[in-house]
Amino acid sequence: MSLKVTLIACSPEPEKLIAASAKLCYSDTSATQLMNGLTDEKTASFVEMLANIGHESPIEHVSFTFGIEGVSRTLLAQITRHRIASFSVQSQRYVKKSNFIYITPPEIEKDEKALEIFNKAMSESFEYYNTLTDILKKKHIEELTANGMDEKTAQTRAEKMAIEDARFVLPNACETKMVMTMNARSLMNFFRMRCCNRAQWEIRELATQMLKLCYDKAPTLFANAGPSCCKGACPEGRMTCGKISEVRQFFDNLKKSAD
């Protein structure tokens, strides 16, 4: 299954909200009056000015919510390190993996021998998962019915109890889904880190797709968004990928394609 990300929702008129919030700091006018008095041209000019001077706190008032599918549990471990965000993730505790989908790294997919070993490992993991589920489910049914629970309820309860422990054999490659919400300031930081060539390939692809969606919704706000080297020097020092020109060109083209 390939990675898929959708912009489910975002703050209405995000750039106007940011401009009004910033203007309020220096105005005796109400927030509503400031919103009503902002034209598209004034909004774009003010948001661009905020970006140029690095005044980022007003952009925290705007949030974006994404639906994310076709990503691995490996990615989940990385993305939840971005703490100023909200996550709702498909549970392996309550959702039985009867249709086992897993993510294959591109470098493994390119190598016939590596792919054969990888697919075998995935297949075996799924077999172990099902076997453990069956063993534990039978055990729990016996215990629950012995304690007076009716058969139908015991069947349902036992399966949930079984997969709670059987999931421990599922690999990091196992596919998951999530809904994630970030404010725009957190997104800027996310893009600086995860659009970088040194980021892991899966989260880099996710961040790149998210950036395109954000730029399409708020082009002035996200005009300079992307890896750190898009706006200045590479911060990676000796660990740099050495491809600043190519990276800048890539993200310029990405934004042009969204216009």
Side-chain angles (χ1 to χ4, degrees):
M1 182 176 183
S2 58
L3 187 157
K4 180 182 177 183
V5 55
T6 307
L7 181 60
I8 297 175
C10 73
S11 302
E13 299 185 286
E15 294 182 337
K16 185 176 283 191
L17 176 57
I18 290 167
S21 300
K23 278 180 170 289
L24 185 67
C25 299
Y26 311 101
S27 173
D28 193 34
T29 309
S30 72
T32 303
Q33 288 175 312
L34 288 169
M35 284 285 287
N36 293 336
L38 282 166
T39 63
D40 290 344
E41 292 75 15
K42 287 179 180 178
T43 296
S45 176
F46 204 83
V47 171
E48 185 176 4
M49 183 267 291
L50 290 175
N52 290 334
I53 64 175
H55 188 191
E56 294 187 335
S57 60
I59 72 176
E60 293 178 13
H61 294 294
V62 169
S63 65
F64 293 76
T65 299
F66 304 89
I68 300 169
E69 302 175 57
V71 294
S72 69
R73 303 289 291 197
T74 298
L75 181 139
L76 178 63
Q78 296 180 80
I79 202 167
T80 50
R81 293 172 66 188
H82 294 268
R83 295 174 181 84
I84 306 178
S86 299
F87 301 92
S88 296
V89 183
Q90 184 185 64
S91 173
Q92 288 183 339
R93 185 183 180 193
Y94 294 103
V95 180
K96 187 175 186 293
K97 288 297 178 182
S98 54
N99 183 22
F100 182 48
I101 300 171
Y102 55 88
I103 310 304
T104 305
E107 290 302 314
I108 289 178
E109 202 159 25
K110 286 187 235 177
D111 188 291
E112 186 177 343
K113 183 63 176 176
L115 183 59
E116 180 185 347
I117 294 170
F118 184 79
N119 287 337
K120 182 181 178 183
M122 296 301 105
S123 179
E124 289 178 351
S125 293
F126 190 41
E127 288 177 14
Y128 293 143
Y129 172 77
N130 283 327
T131 301
L132 284 170
T133 298
D134 291 342
I135 292 170
L136 293 172
K137 183 178 178 181
K138 182 181 177 182
K139 171 179 175 288
H140 292 313
I141 289 173
E142 291 173 355
E143 292 172 348
L144 292 169
T145 53
N147 287 324
M149 187 176 288
D150 66 273
E151 183 73 23
K152 185 177 179 180
T153 304
Q155 288 272 355
T156 302
R157 182 76 59 83
E159 180 169 272
K160 300 300 182 187
M161 295 169 69
I163 64 176
E164 180 173 2
D165 291 330
R167 64 180 169 153
F168 275 71
V169 300
L170 291 175
N172 278 335
C174 194
E175 185 262 351
T176 192
K177 302 173 178 65
M178 72 184 84
V179 172
M180 179 183 73
T181 301
M182 279 189 183
N183 70 51
R185 190 176 192 179
S186 292
L187 277 169
M188 292 295 190
N189 178 64
F190 179 73
F191 295 145
R192 279 193 291 269
M193 296 178 65
R194 303 302 188 171
C195 287
C196 174
N197 270 357
R198 294 202 64 243
Q200 185 259 356
W201 62 269
E202 189 179 19
I203 201 167
R204 183 172 67 245
E205 174 61 24
L206 173 63
T208 301
Q209 289 193 33
M210 286 169 57
L211 173 54
K212 188 172 181 179
L213 292 170
C214 289
Y215 180 82
D216 186 54
K217 194 70 179 180
T220 305
L221 174 60
F222 291 99
N224 295 320
S228 297
C229 64
C230 282
K231 196 176 178 182
C234 173
E236 297 293 330
R238 290 182 297 175
M239 302 297 287
T240 180
C241 72
K243 298 178 180 179
I244 290 178
S245 297
E246 293 95 321
V247 171
R248 288 175 178 172
Q249 187 63 57
F250 174 84
F251 284 97
D252 282 345
N253 292 338
L254 181 83
K255 291 167 187 175
K256 286 174 184 175
S257 69
D259 286 335

